[in-house]
Amino acid sequence: MTGGVAWCEGRWGTPAELSLPLDDRGLQLADGLFETVLIRAGQPCLLDEHLQRWSEASAQLGLDPPPGRDHLMPLIQEAVQRALPDQSCGALRLNWSRGSSSQRGIAPPCIGGHRFWLTLQPWIPIFTPISAIISRLERRNSDSLLSRCKTFAYGQAVQARREASERGCDDALLLNTNGELCCSTTANLLLKPGGAKGDGPWLTPPLSSGCLPGVMRARALRLGLAVEADLGASLGSDDQLLLINSLGCRSLLSLDHQPLYSQALGIDSAESLWQHLLN
């Protein structure tokens, strides 16, 4: 199927063909969670880590437990057969909303009635360096429970990315409400300060900063390739910065139109680190 494949409530189709009821709280109120999982060689990468984060976030937000591995794997395998017959890479999105509500308003309905759907689309992991700004319009709330969960509410990231585009850059870095570098619109940050030894660990903001607990970030910490540290409010010209998530890893060429040392990293170094974390 061109454009990928989707499954919702027992039906297969393309993402453009299938639809949600207009009273779904995910659609109306962004009341739900999602996970984006890389499919490589026909298999979901780091699926257990994604499902653990999905389950923990559901509990934090008072959602019912989302579908587990045993329920998901047959659907994922069929999606791969339908959308990636050549076993190329793909981006799998698992969605979990609080479901439909019979009454108007924001009060959560009774337990049960949650809705699950998935999409799978061809995807090539990206490693090309980019330019970025520090957003002047949006900040990540370090005290919000929602900052620790991958919810449907991506309006802040959309506006920050729009701001970056209007200023001639590819992406935006977000400060948190304490004025510290926190994350980009869709990725965690890995920093090597200027003058740091090449074999030293990367620095990444702690979860208390309001950054999302990214799966690749967690892998870097577990493997000792990164340690948590406050990054401050800006970067120096000799700093190296990577933006990393499950679908790629990109070094930063410039910030607010000022060149960074990261341009020396290139595509190969970013991809090498990402591949190491994935394996």
Side-chain angles (χ1 to χ4, degrees), residues 55 98 120 129 133 135 141 147 228 272:
S55 178
R98 209 180 295 267
L120 175 59
I133 62 166
S135 175
N141 189 344
S147 294
E228 292 186 333
S272 176

Side-chain angles (χ1 to χ4, degrees), residues 207-221:
L207 296 183
S208 59
S209 72
C211 71
L212 186 73
V215 167
M216 297 296 272
R217 171 190 177 278
R219 288 280 294 172
L221 290 170

Side-chain angles (χ1 to χ4, degrees), residues 39-260:
I39 301 292
R40 187 169 67 167
Q43 298 298 318
C45 298
L46 305 179
L47 180 62
D48 289 337
E49 288 89 336
H50 282 285
L51 296 186
Q52 180 178 348
R53 180 175 66 175
W54 205 28
S55 178
E56 290 174 352
S58 292
Q60 287 178 313
L61 299 184
L63 293 162
D64 288 358
R69 172 183 268 274
D70 291 345
H71 178 81
L72 291 172
M73 279 307 298
L75 291 173
I76 294 174
Q77 289 167 352
E78 183 164 354
V80 168
Q81 291 173 0
R82 288 171 176 261
L84 306 172
D86 58 353
Q87 293 199 336
S88 56
C89 287
L92 171 72
R93 175 166 163 150
L94 306 172
N95 305 277
W96 185 235
S97 85
R98 209 180 295 267
S100 296
S101 179
S102 60
Q103 297 182 343
R104 190 180 184 282
I106 66 170
C110 296
I111 251 177
H114 289 46
R115 180 170 284 112
F116 166 71
W117 68 97
L118 66 76
T119 60
L120 175 59
Q121 296 171 301
W123 176 263
I124 299 174
I126 300 177
F127 306 104
T128 51
I130 61 172
S131 60
I133 62 166
I134 293 179
S135 175
R136 299 171 184 168
L137 303 179
E138 300 292 341
R139 289 204 175 191
R140 189 88 171 176
N141 189 344
S142 58
D143 297 318
S144 173
L145 175 63
L146 295 177
S147 294
R148 301 194 289 275
C149 304
K150 198 172 178 70
T151 74
F152 294 154
Y154 260 61
Q156 183 180 63
V158 170
Q159 292 306 312
R161 184 71 66 89
R162 177 171 163 264
E163 179 189 0
S165 179
E166 289 177 348
R167 291 169 59 185
C169 291
D170 303 303
D171 201 359
L173 305 187
L174 299 179
L175 302 176
N176 62 16
T177 42
N178 297 319
E180 303 160 330
L181 285 168
C182 180
C183 58
S184 79
T185 56
T186 59
N188 286 116
L189 306 182
L190 295 177
L191 169 74
K192 278 196 178 177
K197 294 182 179 179
D199 57 354
W202 294 85
L203 307 181
T204 190
L207 296 183
S208 59
S209 72
C211 71
L212 186 73
V215 167
M216 297 296 272
R217 171 190 177 278
R219 288 280 294 172
L221 290 170
R222 192 175 305 120
L223 294 174
L225 299 177
V227 296
E228 292 186 333
D230 294 331
L231 302 190
S234 62
L235 299 179
S237 60
D238 290 336
D239 291 341
Q240 303 174 20
L241 191 72
L242 295 177
L243 281 55
I244 190 166
N245 61 26
S246 295
L247 299 182
C249 182
R250 312 182 78 173
S251 61
L252 205 58
L253 288 172
S254 65
L255 184 62
D256 288 331
H257 301 287
Q258 297 301 311
L260 294 176

